[in-house]
């Protein structure tokens, strides 16, 4: 029995310092809660165990949302990337997304520096073995080395550390990511407390030495020439970029894999946990899509001061010697030295329907979970949840209002609602198709959607908020102006229209309507009717998008309005579903499990049909009438 | 889905003289106003509550007159549901009331769920507590029954067809999505506008076909609307009588209170005919001029089949020629009557004017030629539709409404594609179409798109 001692008392304790943990700790501290962040290793803060990149479709928008709410991911990657690209520029505004290649080490260092500077935040290296629970409420944690830390609320962000097991070929050993110490006792503790635990799997590809790559056999993938940033605060841009490279698997690679499937843990039965479909191992890809002659592989540098290169697309848990053979069969990698082998990792997650939409567990009060422990995958998904858990844990401690983002407000809202309402049977990744209102959830308007909220909860500075309101006003004024101004069909106008192949005007037309023509853009219209004040590119972009796609945006807003009426129909927390008559059995079971907060959330549960919702509505109304009658 | 505007036929289905389509919800009055035209031209929204108005229902899209109606306007809260309510009193009979219902659905109302009016009445505080349990049981019972009916209909061809359309759409969607979520995967082709257009057009055409067969299904149930046309004294009444006499009339005279149309239901060789005749056309001397009258034209317009009666004993008149002209684009059969008298009519000219349509000679007086006419009618209906038994009939009002909405949204997608809107925006309407079709078969799970994505494409890092 370890000797224990009282190690301190806090408002919020965050277990873990990965992408979820750092956001949670930062947000809680910034909001004024006395916060402690505990991590197994101080050298692993904000570590990227998988690919050296942040952002991409949907995920990139999450980073923008985190930034608009006052989180840190966007600010840190803006300072530490080696390359940035805007993706989907040829498509509509709703699906544009920014992606950065990170310098992994710099990213960690910058994150650690930023957290260490935070006033209300204490950072300790310690492994938490146990949660202290009193009367169904968490009140602290006990570490392996005997420290008892008291807290009003605790956030668990254990990532793949929780009973982690690494698998390479026929080797399987207990480990966290990248051979870190795994967290075993806490996993046992969560089971003992009654949490329903599932086992998930994910994987990572081998890393090779850049000096041994023949880049002449690959295609260059440079960053954008334009300055880009995730954070709305960033004013300095890194223009010295490092390219990625593209190569492909060969027929020989496929033969090697096919000939060694009997040694693949994915198929030998060594791996039993569910892996993500969107991030399959190369062996899974080749088995499932065996007609494809080759697969793309991106060679991504892991940083400026390292020769390590991440082979994106080659995630595998085949034996080490087979991995070496595979690499030799890939154009450009014939002589490549493998520095680290790819591996699969299995870990414990809690079934996320055990959480409220605030990420507090239903089982234990003031206990929150965020990130991979909730069944997600991806740094951005983890960070988004970490931020929300941090905000809600601090809000509860400080007596402030909880924050639940709506599906129509943020990808983070979609992510959390999906998790707590539907659960997941594989590591969950955000995709743009998961958002029904993605036209509203754009990369470009994340600040317009969320800055107000970030300011109210105290994560956005006065100065930044002021800048934001100015921008917002400018957008509104310019849109109003363009709706008023009439463009006359004079020679100047016609020549501008002709220059882009449009149909000449017959009569005068409102500037806003002219902008809606497919061939027109803001700059062209503004050349005919310049704004009186100098407008930033961001303002111009907003004016253009909001006017050009007004019809579609309006359609989406009408749908959202309907949804909000249902969101506003709250279900009493003390409702006894067994007392609701006539409801279908399956629906009853699901409702009891998820315990939705609103009628809208209830209607999103699979297995709950419209008739059940109707009955539920009538039941709730009946209860209200009865209450009024009793008073 | 509270507060949106719901609608349903609130009189028993059958052959009542009058039927009522009821609307309830925030937009009830607005929807009614959009499709209603009163002789005074006054806007419905400006009328007082609890008033009744005479006028016509007009499809705002086609400007076609759908029905002549009496409309009751009742503003909440003094209504059954405590919401704004509009009740449209239209002619009884499945055909007319369904047309009204479809019109209302196409203009923004949603078909009410079982027991939904009662539910709203309760939720809005109209019904007292003791009735709540009964309301809940009612919802359950009605839903179960409706489900059984719907399931019965969903088995077989229709659901397979819808499934096929949805598959095509979801493959397209998955393709668009994969371009968005995995922009750098060069082994996934870019979904281009022409490809998207091709897929969407195909789906639109298939939905169109379904809607067409839906009206065909209706014809089989409710009769082929048939108008007997011709100058005075050519034997129109005799034709009507002999068709009715030969074939037992199913329903007689449902002449309404505001419209003096006579309808006779007869079954001719398996083809149910609803013989429509208007007093107007029968009584008037100069029928060509009468056709200029809106109402008569309306009857013609609504007709599925026209029997044009000519007098064999007279030469073709200018009036006859004009009649041919009026109906030139419609399905018609020429009946050259009075062959018992010396023939003066130029049959070659008649054949020429008929332009391929059947020409039958009869002597209704001597009861000759009626059999040939009946054969011609049956043939006209079944011609080219020998597969009639294989047709997929969509008869459920909800399904038809959903198909109409699906058609509208896929047309939006097509228009947007033609206007150069980015693919990922067009995708919004394609998704909507897919969802609407899903509602017909009771499946709108978003997860299936994601499943499609990963089964169709090889993705991942």
């Amino acid at each position: 029995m370890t000797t224990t001692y009282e190690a301190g008392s806090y408002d919020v304790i965050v277990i873990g310092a990965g992408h979820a943990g750092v956001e949670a700790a930062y947000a809680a501290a910034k909001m004024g809660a006395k916060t402690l962040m505990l991590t197994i290793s101080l050298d692993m803060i904000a570590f990227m165990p998988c690919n050296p990149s942040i952002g991409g479709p949907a995920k990139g928008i999450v980073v923008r949302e985190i930034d608009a709410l006052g989180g840190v991911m966007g600010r840190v990657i803006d300072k530490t990337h080696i390359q940035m690209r805007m993706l989907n520029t040829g498509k509509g505004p709703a699906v544009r997304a920014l992606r950065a290649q990170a310098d992994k080490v710099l990213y960690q260092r910058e994150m650690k520096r930023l957290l260490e500077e935070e006033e209300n935040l204490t950072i300790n290296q310690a492994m938490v073995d146990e949660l202290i629970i009193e009367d169904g409420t968490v009140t602290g944690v006990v570490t392996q080395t005997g420290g008892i830390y008291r807290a009003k609320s605790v956030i668990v962000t254990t990532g793949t550390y929780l009973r982690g097991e690494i698998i390479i070929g026929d080797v399987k050993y207990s480990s966290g990511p990248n051979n870190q110490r795994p967290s075993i006792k806490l996993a046992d503790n969560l089971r003992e407390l009654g949490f329903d635990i599932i086992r998930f799997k994910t994987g990572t590809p081998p890393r090779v030495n850049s000096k041994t790559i023949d880049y002449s056999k690959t295609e260059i993938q440079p960053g954008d020439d334009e300055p880009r940033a995730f954070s709305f605060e960033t004013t300095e841009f890194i223009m010295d970029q490092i390219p990625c490279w593209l190569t492909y698997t060969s027929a020989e690679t496929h033969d090697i894999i096919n000939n060694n499937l009997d040694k693949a843990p994915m198929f030998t039965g060594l791996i039993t946990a569910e892996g993500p479909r969107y991030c399959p191992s190369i062996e899974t890809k080749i088995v499932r899509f065996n007609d494809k002659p080759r697969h793309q592989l991106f060679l991504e540098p892991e940083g400026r001061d390292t020769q390590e290169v991440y082979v994106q697309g080659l995630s595998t848990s085949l034996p080490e010697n087979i991995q070496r053979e595979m690499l030799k069969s890939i154009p450009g990698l014939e002589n490549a030295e493998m520095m680290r082998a790819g591996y699969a990792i299995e870990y414990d997650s809690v079934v996320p329907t055990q959480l409220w939409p605030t990420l507090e567990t239903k089982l234990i009060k003031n206990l929150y979970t965020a990130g991979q422990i909730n069944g997600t995958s991806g740094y951005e998904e983890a960070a988004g949840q970490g931020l929300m858990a941090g905000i809600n844990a601090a809000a509860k401690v400080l007596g402030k209002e909880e924050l639940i983002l709506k599906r129509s407000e943020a990808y983070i809202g979609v992510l959390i609602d999906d998790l707590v309402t539907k659960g997941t049977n594989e590591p969950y990744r955000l995709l743009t198709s998961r958002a029904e209102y993605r036209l509203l959830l754009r990369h470009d308007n994340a600040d317009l959607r969320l800055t107000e909220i970030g300011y109210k909860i105290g994560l956005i500075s006065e100065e930044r908020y002021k800048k934001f309101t100015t921008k917002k006003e400018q957008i509104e004024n310019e849109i109003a102006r363009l709706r008023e101004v009439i463009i006359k069909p004079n020679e100047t106008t016609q020549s501008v229209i002709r220059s882009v192949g449009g149909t000449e005007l017959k009569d005068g037309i409102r500037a806003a309507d002219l902008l809606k023509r497919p061939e027109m853009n803001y700059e062209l219209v503004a050349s005919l009717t310049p704004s009186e004040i100098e407008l930033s590119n961001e303002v111009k972009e907003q004016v253009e998008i909001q006017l050009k796609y007004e019809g579609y945006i309006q359609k989406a807003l009408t749908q959202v309005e309907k949804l909000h009426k249902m969101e506003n129909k709250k279900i009493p927390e003390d409702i006894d579903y067994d007392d609701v008559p006539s409801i279908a059995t399956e629906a009853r079971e699901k409702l009891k499990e998820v315990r939705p907060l609103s009628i809208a959330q209830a209607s999103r549960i699979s297995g709950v049909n419209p008739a059940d919702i109707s009955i539920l509505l009538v039941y709730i109304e009946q209860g209200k009438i009865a209450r009024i009658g009793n008073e | 889905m509270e507060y949106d505007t719901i609608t349903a036929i609130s009189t028993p289905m059958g052959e009542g003289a009058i039927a009522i389509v009821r609307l309830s919800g925030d937009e009830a009055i607005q929807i009614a106003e959009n499709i209603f035209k009163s002789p005074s031209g006054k806007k419905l929204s400006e009328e007082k509550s609890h008033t009744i108005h005479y006028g016509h229902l007009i499809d705002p899209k086609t400007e076609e007159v759908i029905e002549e109606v009496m409309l009751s306007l009742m503003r909440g809260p003094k209504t059954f549901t405590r919401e704004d309510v509009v009740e449209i009193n239209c002619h009884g009979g499945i055909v007319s009331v369904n047309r009204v219902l479809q019109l209302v659905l196409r203009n923004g109302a949603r078909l009410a769920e079982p027991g939904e009016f009662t539910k709203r009445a309760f939720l809005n505080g109209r019904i007292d507590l003791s009735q709540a349990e009964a309301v809940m049981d009612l919802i359950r019972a009605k839903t179960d029954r409706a489900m059984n009916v719907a399931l019965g209909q969903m088995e077989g061809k229709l659901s397979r067809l819808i499934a096929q359309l949805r598959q095509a759409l979801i493959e397209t969607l998955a393709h668009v999505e994969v371009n968005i979520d995995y922009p750098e995967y060069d082994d996934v082709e870019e979904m281009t506008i022409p490809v998207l257009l091709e897929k969407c057009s195909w789906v639109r055409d298939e939905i169109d076909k379904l809607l067409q067969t839906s009206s065909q299904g209706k014809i089989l149930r409710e009769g082929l609307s048939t108008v007997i046309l011709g100058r005075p004294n050519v034997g129109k009444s005799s034709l009507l009588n002999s068709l009715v006499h030969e074939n037992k009339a199913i329903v007689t005279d449902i002449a309404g209170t505001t419209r003096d149309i006579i309808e006779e239901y007869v079954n001719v060789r398996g083809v149910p005919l609803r013989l429509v005749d208007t007093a107007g056309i029968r009584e008037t001397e100069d029928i060509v001029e009468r056709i200029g009258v809106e109402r008569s034209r309306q009857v013609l317009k609504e007709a599925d089949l026209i029997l044009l009666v000519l007098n064999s004993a007279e030469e073709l008149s200018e009036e006859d020629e004009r009649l041919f002209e009026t109906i030139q684009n419609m399905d018609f059969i020429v009946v050259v009557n009075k062959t018992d008298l010396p023939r003066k009519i130029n049959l070659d000219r008649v054949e020429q004017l008929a332009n391929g349509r059947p020409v039958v000679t009869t002597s209704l007086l001597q009861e000759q030629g009626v059999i040939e006419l009946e054969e011609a009618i049956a043939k006209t209906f079944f011609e080219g539709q020998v597969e009639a038994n294989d047709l997929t009939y969509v008869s459920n009002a909800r399904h038809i409404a959903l198909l109409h909405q699906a058609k509208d949204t896929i047309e939006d997608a097509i228009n947007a594609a033609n206007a150069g809107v980015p693919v990922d925006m067009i995708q919004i309407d394609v998704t909507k179409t897919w969802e609407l079709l899903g509602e017909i078969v009771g499946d709108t799970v978003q997860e299936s798109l994601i499943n499609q994505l990963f089964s169709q494409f090889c993705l991942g890092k």
Side-chain angles (χ1 to χ4, degrees), chain B residues 149-160:
Chain B
V149 172
L151 280 179
Q153 192 165 34
M154 283 321 304
E155 275 166 21
K157 279 202 158 52
L158 178 61
S159 68
R160 276 206 296 279

Side-chain angles (χ1 to χ4, degrees), chain A residues 51 57 85 87-88 91-93 95 99 221 246 248 277-280 285 288-289 292 294-296 298 312-315 407 422 429 431-436 438-439 518 549 552 555 559 562 565-566 569 581-584 611-612 614-615 617-619 621-622 625, chain B residues 1-4 26 113 119 122-123 125 127-129 132-133 135-137 139-140 143 147 176-177 179-188 190 412 416 419-429 432 446-447 449-451 453-461:
Chain A
N51 55 332
R85 280 184 71 183
L87 304 173
N88 288 333
K91 304 189 178 86
V95 296
R99 193 194 52 209
Q221 304 273 303
L246 171 63
Y248 296 88
R277 283 174 300 175
Y278 44 80
C279 192
K285 283 196 257 187
R288 283 192 55 216
F289 294 88
K292 281 182 73 80
R294 61 180 198 174
H295 294 275
Q296 273 176 313
F298 290 93
Q312 200 228 87
L314 205 68
S315 175
R407 297 184 72 89
K422 294 175 184 154
R429 179 199 154 156
L431 297 161
T432 60
S433 48
R434 296 201 196 265
E436 52 277 65
R438 74 173 172 211
L439 185 54
Y549 301 106
Y552 283 96
K555 250 194 225 174
Q559 285 175 355
K562 274 188 192 164
K565 284 177 181 164
M566 305 242 296
K569 286 209 176 285
S582 303
I583 219 159
D612 300 314
S614 286
I615 291 167
L617 269 169
V618 171
Y619 179 83
E621 195 61 31
Q622 178 191 24
I625 295 173
Chain B
M1 275 147 281
E2 291 304 298
Y3 305 114
D4 58 348
D26 290 353
E113 305 282 342
K119 183 185 95 183
F122 174 79
L123 290 180
I127 296 175
D128 75 47
L129 184 58
E133 299 252 332
V135 173
M136 287 187 268
D137 288 342
I139 292 168
R140 172 57 58 202
T143 305
M147 286 265 279
V176 174
E177 295 298 334
N179 287 162
I180 294 168
D181 277 321
Y182 295 87
E184 288 167 316
Y185 278 72
D186 59 5
D187 42 3
V188 178
E190 188 80 13
D412 283 350
V421 172
V423 172
D424 51 285
M425 299 274 230
I426 302 169
Q427 176 270 351
I428 295 172
D429 287 319
K432 186 78 203 163
Q446 222 190 347
E447 192 62 27
L449 174 58
I450 287 155
N451 291 337
L453 201 78
F454 292 114
S455 61
Q456 198 174 337
F457 301 102
C458 176
L459 306 161
K461 19 182 211 203

